[in-house]
Amino acid sequence: MPHFNLRLDTSAPDDGESFYWTRDANSTFLGALGPSLGSLGPVPTLNIDLVRIAVGVYAADRSVPRKFGGSDWNQREISLTLPVANAAHWASRERELAGMLDFLSGDSWSMTFVDAPPAEEDVALTPVAASRVVLFSGGADSAIGALKSRFNLYEQEHHILVSHYSASHIAPIQKALEARLATFEPHRSQSHEVFHLARRAVRLDGTEFDSEPSSRSRSFLFLALGLANAAIHGVDLWIPENGFASINPPLDPGRRGSLSTRTTHPAFLTAFNALLSGSGMVGQIRNPFESWTKGEMVAWAMQQLGQDQASSYLSASNSCSSTGQRSFGVPLRVHCGVCFGCVLRRSSFAAAGLHDRTEYASPRASVELARWLERVSVMSAVRDFVATGVRPRDLMALSLPHDYKLADALDLTSRGIAELGEYVR
């Protein structure tokens, strides 16, 4: 079992694979954020601990390659030693936390916590009071969530958008989308926290880390950063995503969880909120679109903004999960058009009747690109999925919380499948 240590300084002897999170050049991590989160303001201690845990988990996830093939690809065992301010508290929650991570990434996690003194950092002044914090990934769902949050603010109220990126092409998309959003309802205000926090490719001695690209735990870090911001203001955190993708029905029996990651799965959010409330931490995580399809979200945005503004705003978002197009000279700002994120996006625009101005990779550009697009396309699997549909017994296998009614899940998935069907037929 691979074991990793997260360390806050380089003075301790290294007794295994370690990641160093420091404020100087001797850091395993890119980004300006320090391990005490001082630049954010007066973050509560347990939220600082949660971000440290998430940083360690994310770095370890990136450092253990998966075995692709069959069902082995998502069955890793990973252990961590993590420095926190309250080791006793987190030790009492270790099984609860590990279970959440197991569900999120499909792996088996175990954690040991050690008391660590807070790293010395200047603490920023408390920013303007916020009524809400919204995760803002740059995708269409987060763009609509930020729009809904802004429109729900009273005049002169403020909300905070929180973004995280590891791939450099995402940050300009997030910033440009936020600038567009700021032009709507000008009497409401917002700020935008953008975090670049990622493990470096090499260790401090210059040797390369093993690298795993899937990184399903990145969303756990994203949530922890959002919660740190929300805790300063004592408010809830929104993570907007359509409920159809959140439920995460598989495209076929051999592709469990293939529609998306489980970041907004009702079971994961229920478990995370139980951890927060059981720890006495302020705020909860909310998905304002847990009962909506993506097409319904797009239709709502069009009703608020009108056809032209909604088309311009949402087409500037990014839903593509692929990076392979760059091997054929296609910029990463151009969507592949054939991954599930792209197919769901295209079907939702079509279902709402919204003009899609998104730039998609064209198979006419080259024979090589056309072959790659055909090879990675999910269109055939989606057509089969639409033809088969989802049965109640399929939903019963998706680990939905006990209070999530099966009839509601069936209705939501039926509406989502209908939107896909209109596009892929």
Side-chain angles (χ1 to χ4, degrees):
M1 176 191 302
H3 180 82
F4 300 92
N5 304 291
L6 178 66
R7 300 184 184 278
L8 306 184
D9 64 72
T10 57
S11 61
D14 191 355
D15 57 357
E17 184 76 279
S18 294
F19 309 116
Y20 296 93
W21 192 8
T22 66
R23 295 299 307 276
D24 55 28
N26 294 318
S27 180
T28 307
F29 299 95
L30 299 166
L33 188 66
S36 289
L37 313 188
S39 61
L40 299 187
V43 179
T45 299
L46 286 179
N47 285 93
I48 295 172
D49 284 351
L50 187 63
V51 172
R52 290 182 184 177
I53 293 167
V55 165
V57 167
Y58 176 51
D61 188 11
R62 288 292 316 279
S63 304
V64 183
R66 295 184 182 275
K67 296 178 181 179
F68 290 88
S71 61
D72 290 338
W73 78 277
N74 63 349
Q75 297 296 319
R76 301 169 300 173
E77 294 184 0
I78 303 173
S79 67
L80 286 164
T81 297
L82 298 157
V84 292
N86 193 336
H89 169 81
W90 291 108
S92 70
R93 297 282 175 178
E94 193 271 343
R95 280 294 84 203
E96 188 177 358
L97 182 58
M100 286 169 44
L101 294 172
D102 292 354
F103 183 82
L104 179 66
S105 73
D107 302 306
S108 178
W109 293 86
S110 60
M111 287 158 281
T112 301
F113 303 97
V114 295
D115 285 314
E120 293 187 6
E121 294 181 23
D122 293 333
V123 177
L125 295 175
T126 303
V128 60
S131 299
R132 190 178 302 111
V133 175
V134 184
L135 292 189
F136 192 69
S137 67
D141 287 20
S142 74
I144 297 170
L147 181 70
K148 186 175 181 66
S149 174
R150 188 172 176 88
F151 277 32
N152 283 0
L153 294 173
Y154 291 109
E155 200 165 301
Q156 306 304 325
E157 279 194 320
H158 182 83
H159 70 175
I160 299 173
L161 308 181
V162 173
S163 297
H164 174 262
Y165 71 94
S166 53
S168 59
H169 74 284
I170 294 297
I173 293 171
Q174 295 167 338
K175 292 175 182 177
L177 200 61
E178 186 273 335
R180 288 175 184 263
L181 177 67
T183 65
F184 308 136
E185 296 291 326
H187 296 296
R188 280 74 172 170
S189 70
Q190 66 191 34
S191 53
H192 189 199
E193 294 279 359
V194 182
F195 296 99
H196 180 38
L197 185 56
R199 193 214 65 189
R200 295 181 185 273
V202 298
R203 301 178 179 85
L204 299 187
D205 64 5
T207 59
E208 291 188 0
F209 284 107
D210 288 334
S211 185
E212 164 54 43
S214 63
S215 300
R216 286 188 172 184
S217 67
R218 190 176 77 84
S219 56
F220 177 52
L221 174 58
F222 195 12
L223 282 162
L225 291 168
L227 287 165
N229 278 271
I232 294 173
H233 302 276
V235 298
D236 288 341
L237 173 68
W238 276 19
I239 178 168
E241 185 170 353
N242 70 90
F244 174 60
S246 296
I247 288 177
N248 204 17
L251 289 180
D252 61 63
R255 300 173 66 168
R256 180 174 60 86
S258 59
L259 294 193
S260 70
T261 63
R262 290 175 156 186
T263 309
T264 55
H265 191 286
F268 179 71
L269 293 187
T270 296
F272 208 149
N273 281 329
L275 175 73
L276 296 175
S277 59
S279 299
M281 300 168 75
V282 176
Q284 294 275 282
I285 306 167
R286 311 288 185 194
N287 179 5
F289 301 112
E290 62 181 358
S291 62
W292 298 37
T293 67
K294 197 179 188 84
E296 291 164 355
M297 292 174 65
V298 172
W300 177 87
M302 188 169 65
Q303 290 170 359
Q304 307 307 309
L305 299 177
Q307 171 75 236
D308 288 344
Q309 282 200 103
S311 175
S312 176
Y313 176 57
L314 295 183
S315 295
S317 66
N318 185 285
S319 302
C320 187
S321 61
S322 176
T323 58
Q325 57 267 43
R326 63 184 173 185
S327 299
F328 305 93
V330 179
L332 287 178
R333 61 177 173 76
V334 178
H335 288 58
C336 76
V338 296
C339 68
F340 187 78
C342 285
V343 172
L344 185 60
R345 175 192 181 94
R346 299 175 91 160
S347 69
S348 67
F349 276 62
L354 184 67
H355 176 49
D356 188 358
R357 304 180 192 179
T358 308
E359 188 176 359
Y360 297 102
S362 172
R364 294 189 295 273
S366 71
V367 172
E368 292 79 10
L369 177 60
R371 288 173 178 167
W372 177 79
L373 290 171
E374 184 177 4
R375 186 172 71 253
V376 300
S377 174
V378 301
M379 288 293 288
S380 177
V382 170
R383 289 191 183 98
D384 291 343
F385 174 65
V386 168
T388 303
V390 173
R391 300 161 296 184
R393 67 182 185 185
D394 298 322
L395 296 176
M396 292 173 67
L398 294 181
S399 303
L400 295 171
H402 295 303
D403 60 352
Y404 198 118
K405 294 181 180 178
L406 187 61
D408 292 340
L410 187 61
D411 178 62
L412 175 59
T413 53
S414 297
R415 297 188 335 257
I417 290 170
E419 291 179 2
L420 284 172
E422 287 300 312
Y423 174 73
V424 303
R425 287 194 183 104

